[in-house]
Amino acid sequence: MFGFKHRFGRQHLPAVNGLIPLTDLANGQSGVIHSFQGGQTMEQRLNALGARQGQRITRIGGMFMRGPITVKIEKSQIAIGFGMAKHILVKVQDENFVNG
Amino acid sequence: MKILLMGNPNVGKSVLFSRLTGVQVIASNYPGSTVGYTRGQMKLGSSAAEIIDVPGTYSLDPTNDAERVAVEMLQDGNVAINIVDATNLERNLYLTLQLLERKIPVVIALNMWDDTQHLGIHLDLEKLQNLLGVPVVPTVAVSGIGIKTLVEKIPQSVSGNYPVISPDERWALVGKIVSQVQQITHRHHTWRERLADASVRPLSGMFIAFAVLAAAFALIRFLGEGLIGYVFDPLFNLLLPPLTSLSNTLGGGGLLHDILIGKMINGQIDYLQSLGLLTTAIYIEFAAVLPYVFAFYFVLGILEDTGYLPRLAVLMDTILHRLGLHGYAIIPTMLGLGCNVPAILSTRILESKRERFIAATLISIAVPCASLQAMIWGLVGKEGPQYLLIVYGTLIIVWVLMGFIINKFTKGFSPEMLTEIPPYRLPPARALAQKLWMRVKGFIVEATPIVLGSVLVVGLLYAVGVFDAIARFTAPVVTGLFGLPKEAVTAIVVGFIRKDVAMGMLAPLALTANQLVVAAVVLAMFFPCIATFVILGKELGLKDTLRATAIMIVAALSAGGLLNLILK
């Protein structure tokens, strides 16, 4: 469960193609979910709540001191613990391409 | 016939259940308000059918307890009514497809239908029905729209004709269906959405939380005191003359008099001090506690049904993480301020055994129930608000400190919070009133026999001198450590049975304000009442209950002793 931290740091942190962890999204900014770096169970639970690869996700708020990140996906809002949100990679969209 | 009500969390299953069966169940606007399951009966044509309110699940891949329960129940259901949130089709249809794969006959209730209009969602019902191959009925459970049609369609339910596919294929299929039946028109943000956004951001969130909790507290106090001052106290004053004449008829003394009426204080009946069945027992339950129970559940109902609690959970997550919990644990904790029993039951919404242990232990030790709080506000509050502040401050410190320590010394780690945040809703008055009535009725039915019984037993034990023996035996702790008169042990012992009666037992002892503070804190922490204890045992198992008890004894002794030292 914890092994991927390292992997995460190596492969994805250089923000190639605008890939950033969900936690780095600014309030009000949207992106498309690129991948989950946290194991099957986490992915399943997130999927069930509507957070899936390719979905547009908008950050609504975050709490200080690494509190949960609240996001909007489709019509629903979900709160994702900071540790989990760190492992969701988001591709930030160029504002010009957003039509929504 | 067995009918299962299945659907995602917080789509209105419990409300629909009430509509179908007439059985009242507690429904709230947050995921996980149903943790166990409820059965009821309904008439279907000429025969009766059993109907089961299954806890909400997002899928049939059991990733938590609620989902495991749901999957197990699916084995012996004949028909599933799949309740789908019409405003959130995409997420809801995943479970629908899984149900159709299981070949159980399904009929779909497309609930919250009224919300789709002002959200700008247009659904093609006929197409959805054709694509899924099962009846689809639009419903608004809270106002009863579509329920009759839904019932008529139950016999027409058919099992789906879907092969079992992989999750990815299933999501793809969901996407295909949604794109064919749903159209969304653009519309502007509503004030509710703006408020919703503000309540999950740190600064505005803190401010809103502070305002909401302060308003809740003020409203509870206002309602509680108002009911006592203007309704119940005058009512009980009217009862004084007949009780006094009863006392005279009984000869003003003797065993029967002492049990029914109690001791006369300065030749008169004193509702708080006489300690008789017809005087103090009835007075405590109905005039001192009931008004606050009513006020508390009134306010809690509003908080629950508007959808504020999950937002409070987001806000509290950072703090609760330090205690080995995550934000959602604030919901059982808030319930605990009403009664610890449903609070400990609702710790089932937490994912791991470890979290449930921490949450349940903290609730049973440091969260005083409404009955006890009503008496604390009555007795300690009389001495001045600063004393109330000490009582609550101590309990909050204990709650945080204990959580911190238990978290440190319990194996494992706490999972991250992951929860849906429901939209704010204006709760329908009827639903609020119904829930309030259920809870108040529950309080009266459950508390009355225990309150009367405990006063009766205490009266008898007094008469035969048992308490004197206990008082002598426990004097070192009660007097030495807590600085209380040795008679206060009666209250502590009664605290096992009912906290409100226990607090009432302190009234005749003429304690100083500081002694009252120590006694209130000790009563709150030392052994939960018997009902809570039983539930604790059931939920945690023997070993963990013993652990919780040991923690509680150490905590209560140290907190009471320290407080006594500081205040002396």
Side-chain angles (χ1 to χ4, degrees):
Chain A
M1 177 106 193
F2 290 110
F4 55 75
K5 254 187 185 161
H6 174 69
R7 204 174 68 203
F8 169 64
R10 280 239 177 115
Q11 295 185 342
H12 298 287
L13 211 60
V16 214
N17 309 328
L19 277 190
I20 56 168
L22 179 60
T23 44
D24 286 358
L25 221 56
N27 283 350
Q29 198 182 10
S30 348
V32 168
I33 298 177
H34 173 269
S35 53
F36 302 97
Q37 313 285 312
Q40 261 241 294
T41 318
M42 171 188 140
E43 190 168 338
Q44 262 183 14
R45 289 181 62 204
L46 282 162
N47 280 346
L49 280 159
R52 293 188 304 281
Q53 269 180 26
Q55 281 276 8
R56 214 160 95 89
I57 188 167
T58 309
R59 175 170 153 147
I60 293 170
M63 283 296 151
F64 36 58
M65 293 174 69
R66 310 182 142 237
I69 310 286
T70 307
V71 296
K72 187 172 173 126
I73 298 168
E74 297 277 316
K75 289 280 170 190
S76 59
Q77 280 191 14
I78 56 178
I80 306 175
F82 192 90
M84 206 184 268
K86 235 170 28 191
H87 300 126
I88 301 174
L89 287 189
V90 176
K91 188 177 166 86
V92 181
Q93 284 181 319
D94 192 316
E95 291 298 317
N96 299 328
F97 289 107
V98 181
N99 45 16
Chain B
M1 184 151 96
K2 246 186 204 163
I3 301 171
L4 305 174
L5 284 183
M6 299 192 72
N8 285 188
N10 210 40
V11 295
K13 286 179 300 299
S14 297
V15 182
L16 198 73
F17 177 80
S18 301
R19 286 276 171 195
L20 290 172
T21 59
V23 174
Q24 307 289 313
V25 287
I26 301 269
S28 301
N29 185 13
Y30 55 78
S33 33
T34 309
V35 282
Y37 56 86
T38 325
R39 288 162 192 277
Q41 298 282 331
M42 67 174 281
K43 257 181 95 82
L44 197 67
S46 55
S47 54
E50 187 180 19
I51 185 153
I52 301 169
D53 182 14
V54 181
T57 55
Y58 293 108
S59 71
L60 296 178
D61 326 311
T63 53
N64 65 38
D65 282 353
E67 289 174 353
R68 266 184 285 276
V69 171
V71 174
E72 268 168 38
M73 294 172 91
L74 197 57
Q75 315 290 338
D76 50 29
N78 303 105
V79 175
I81 298 180
N82 176 210
I83 298 136
V84 167
D85 177 354
T87 65
N88 211 329
L89 206 53
E90 172 140 21
R91 202 196 58 208
N92 281 248
L93 281 183
Y94 186 82
L95 177 69
T96 306
L97 289 183
Q98 278 192 315
L99 284 171
L100 293 174
E101 286 168 21
R102 297 265 176 148
K103 309 292 178 216
I104 182 171
V106 172
V107 52
I108 292 173
L110 208 53
N111 201 26
M112 308 198 191
W113 180 249
D114 53 336
D115 277 352
T116 55
Q117 276 140 35
H118 64 251
L119 285 173
I121 300 170
H122 304 280
L123 296 176
D124 186 339
L125 277 179
E126 209 162 313
K127 209 172 216 176
L128 181 63
Q129 196 159 292
N130 288 338
L131 285 171
L132 294 174
V134 295
V136 176
V137 183
T139 58
V140 184
V142 283
S143 53
I145 294 169
I147 306 297
K148 228 182 114 209
T149 322
L150 179 68
V151 174
E152 286 164 10
K153 295 272 182 181
I154 292 174
Q156 299 170 27
S157 62
V158 280
S159 17
N161 198 12
Y162 277 88
V164 179
I165 48 181
S166 76
D168 286 338
E169 289 170 326
R170 205 175 290 129
W171 282 121
L173 186 55
V174 167
K176 227 172 86 190
I177 294 173
V178 171
S179 67
Q180 286 183 61
V181 301
Q182 179 177 274
Q183 265 194 318
I184 294 178
T185 45
H186 185 73
R187 89 220 137 78
H188 289 286
H189 265 215
T190 61
W191 62 271
R192 261 183 235 177
E193 284 170 325
R194 280 182 220 283
L195 188 64
D197 292 357
S199 48
V200 292
R201 286 186 182 137
L203 277 178
S204 49
M206 287 288 177
F207 179 76
I208 291 173
F210 185 77
V212 166
L213 294 178
F217 185 82
L219 188 57
I220 292 173
R221 177 105 178 130
F222 174 77
L223 277 177
E225 289 302 314
L227 282 172
I228 292 175
Y230 293 100
V231 181
F232 287 97
D233 269 352
L235 211 66
F236 271 82
N237 283 337
L238 290 180
L239 285 175
L240 263 182
L243 283 173
T244 312
S245 63
L246 178 66
S247 159
N248 291 335
T249 318
L250 290 173
L255 185 63
L256 189 63
H257 178 277
D258 281 356
I259 284 175
L260 287 183
I261 304 289
K263 293 187 182 52
M264 303 301 271
I265 312 288
N266 302 326
Q268 284 183 332
I269 292 173
D270 183 321
Y271 278 128
L272 268 181
Q273 301 190 29
S274 287
L275 297 186
L277 267 187
L278 298 178
T279 54
T280 307
I282 301 281
Y283 181 83
I284 284 183
E285 196 197 339
F286 289 100
V289 173
L290 181 66
Y292 271 108
V293 167
F294 176 88
F296 176 80
Y297 282 125
F298 176 75
V299 173
L300 181 71
I302 295 176
L303 287 180
E304 283 180 335
D305 288 5
T306 49
Y308 182 66
L309 291 183
R311 279 142 181 121
L312 187 63
V314 170
L315 206 67
M316 295 292 288
D317 188 67
T318 312
I319 300 170
L320 285 164
H321 254 289
R322 307 274 184 280
L323 315 185
L325 298 167
H326 64 61
Y328 224 63
I330 199 67
I331 290 179
T333 307
M334 296 281 285
L335 292 178
L337 292 170
C339 174
N340 283 356
V341 173
I344 288 170
L345 275 177
S346 77
T347 56
R348 289 189 196 164
I349 58 179
L350 303 173
E351 286 89 358
S352 69
K353 212 174 153 216
R354 178 180 194 268
E355 281 176 287
R356 286 196 287 270
F357 171 73
I358 298 176
T361 307
L362 290 185
I363 288 169
S364 65
I365 297 175
V367 179
C369 67
S371 307
L372 175 61
Q373 289 185 77
M375 295 302 288
I376 291 179
W377 287 18
L379 287 178
V380 182
K382 244 187 346 215
E383 308 287 337
Q386 70 272 33
Y387 294 106
L388 278 181
L389 213 63
I390 305 177
V391 172
Y392 280 95
T394 310
L395 289 177
I396 291 172
I397 293 171
V398 166
W399 183 72
V400 172
L401 219 59
M402 301 266 315
F404 194 75
I405 295 170
I406 301 175
N407 184 30
K408 267 256 141 70
F409 291 100
T410 310
K411 275 198 297 270
F413 66 100
S414 289
E416 293 275 342
M417 172 161 172
L418 177 62
T419 185
E420 190 192 351
I421 305 210
Y424 276 130
R425 292 179 196 287
L426 283 178
R430 198 176 140 264
L432 273 181
Q434 228 171 43
K435 182 151 79 168
L436 179 61
W437 167 238
M438 273 179 72
R439 282 170 159 166
V440 169
K441 197 175 80 183
F443 165 77
I444 295 174
V445 170
E446 277 153 35
T448 311
I450 302 176
V451 167
L452 293 179
S454 57
V455 172
L456 177 70
V457 170
V458 169
L460 288 173
L461 290 181
Y462 248 128
V464 295
V466 170
F467 277 114
D468 290 334
I470 299 178
R472 266 197 305 278
F473 179 67
T474 52
V477 174
V478 176
T479 314
L481 189 61
F482 296 147
L484 299 172
K486 64 182 191 326
E487 293 82 11
V489 77
T490 324
I492 295 175
V493 173
V494 173
F496 289 107
I497 310 169
R498 286 262 342 154
K499 296 285 179 186
D500 42 9
V501 178
M503 198 69 201
M505 298 263 152
L506 297 172
L509 298 182
L511 300 181
T512 65
N514 285 341
Q515 282 177 319
L516 267 176
V517 167
V518 175
V521 169
V522 169
L523 267 183
M525 295 177 61
F526 210 56
F527 279 94
C529 72
I530 187 92
T532 308
F533 213 61
V534 169
I535 289 295
L536 206 59
K538 268 192 197 153
E539 291 295 307
L540 296 183
L542 182 66
K543 209 178 114 207
D544 277 349
T545 305
L546 289 177
R547 247 178 87 206
T549 310
I551 295 172
M552 181 252 310
I553 292 174
V554 174
L557 290 177
S558 0
L562 272 174
L563 203 56
N564 176 40
L565 278 181
I566 296 168
L567 294 175
K568 220 180 338 205

